[in-house]
Amino acid sequence: SQQGEEDPQALSIQEGENATMNCSYKTSINNLQWYRQNSGRGLVHLILIRSNEREKHSGRLRVTLDTSKKSSSLLITASRAADTASYFCATDASGAGSYQLTFGKGTKLSVIP
Amino acid sequence: EAGVTQFPSHSVIEKGQTVTLRCDPISGHDNLYWYRRVMGKEIKFLLHFVKESKQDESGMPNNRFLAERTGGTYSTLKVQPAELEDSGVYFCASSPHRPTRGEQYFGPGTRLTVT
């Protein structure tokens, strides 16, 4: 499997429900980030969690990180139709000089009004 | 503050032709990155500039790809000659100097179609 693999690949929920997406990775990381991509648009940064953090909140977003299991989850509470997008986790596992991010294939979230 | 911009938004070229993609980072951002997503695959890192210097070009697929960042401002990514497998979306991102290994700001991408 790939570094930064999300599951599920696709998720369809009703507006108001919560959406949970998971991400697994293989190597040690400096941080893990979640991005959103609306159709035809660029990637929008949602939240970053550092390797020494276990949980982080931002508005309706909650991210957890379990470095022992090399996994993270993104929870979107009280979903809205506008949350419909693809969500990617990205890990920063590089050395001191480079800041390259490694992305998973993403979870396509559909929120039905 | 203007975000990262990329030009063109979409390019359709024939196999064997040359295409040049342009990225204008957020003003003042020393770090500039190129990524691409080919059909059905994950977004992959291509290279990282710090100002005008290539910090990491480990993701460049082959010597048909040439990236430059003259003067440490905008960057270009040239594909010459283009092959069918180069089709995909090319993203540029930037981040400030010493971003504490944090957020990268992405542009909208250039969709490249090679026929």
Side-chain angles (χ1 to χ4, degrees), chain A residues 26-63:
Chain A
K26 292 197 155 199
T27 64
S28 297
I29 60 172
N30 298 297
N31 63 61
L32 185 144
Q33 306 177 40
W34 286 90
Y35 286 81
R36 182 186 73 216
Q37 184 185 25
N38 292 86
S39 179
R41 302 279 194 93
L43 294 159
V44 174
H45 183 265
L46 296 176
I47 196 165
L48 178 152
I49 187 164
R50 302 199 183 281
S51 60
N52 61 352
E53 297 176 309
R54 292 296 166 259
E55 188 171 310
K56 205 160 183 181
H57 296 255
S58 177
R60 294 184 296 113
L61 305 179
R62 173 177 170 254
V63 170

Side-chain angles (χ1 to χ4, degrees), chain A residues 2-3 30-31 33 35 37 40-45 48 50 86 88 92-106, chain B residues 31 33 35 37 40-45 48 50 55-56 58 89 91 95-96 98-109 111:
Chain A
Q2 299 285 333
Q3 175 89 346
N30 298 297
N31 63 61
Q33 306 177 40
Y35 286 81
Q37 184 185 25
R41 302 279 194 93
L43 294 159
V44 174
H45 183 265
L48 178 152
R50 302 199 183 281
S86 291
F88 298 89
D92 175 356
S94 48
S98 174
Y99 300 157
Q100 65 169 280
L101 297 177
T102 302
F103 285 84
K105 291 186 182 180
Chain B
N31 296 287
Y33 316 82
Y35 294 84
R37 187 181 193 193
K41 303 237 175 133
E42 62 270 25
I43 300 165
K44 289 275 198 186
F45 168 82
H48 168 203
V50 177
Q55 181 70 30
D56 179 358
S58 61
V89 181
F91 293 101
S95 66
R98 292 201 174 92
T100 64
R101 306 192 71 92
E103 174 182 354
Q104 294 179 14
Y105 299 81
F106 280 78
R111 181 173 295 277

Side-chain angles (χ1 to χ4, degrees), chain B residues 74-91:
Chain B
Y74 71 91
S75 174
T76 58
L77 179 65
K78 180 191 285 188
V79 185
Q80 178 182 31
E83 298 290 343
L84 298 178
E85 64 264 25
D86 300 331
S87 294
V89 181
Y90 290 75
F91 293 101

Side-chain angles (χ1 to χ4, degrees), chain B residues 18-72:
Chain B
T18 297
V19 64
T20 299
L21 314 181
R22 174 173 169 142
C23 168
D24 286 80
I26 293 173
S27 178
H29 281 193
D30 287 343
N31 296 287
L32 186 149
Y33 316 82
W34 284 98
Y35 294 84
R36 75 171 179 177
R37 187 181 193 193
V38 296
M39 184 66 72
K41 303 237 175 133
E42 62 270 25
I43 300 165
K44 289 275 198 186
F45 168 82
L46 295 178
L47 87 160
H48 168 203
F49 283 100
V50 177
K51 296 186 179 178
E52 66 274 9
S53 300
K54 291 175 185 174
Q55 181 70 30
D56 179 358
E57 51 184 329
S58 61
M60 294 289 264
N62 52 61
N63 59 10
R64 296 186 294 103
F65 289 75
L66 175 64
E68 294 180 322
R69 191 182 182 195
T70 308

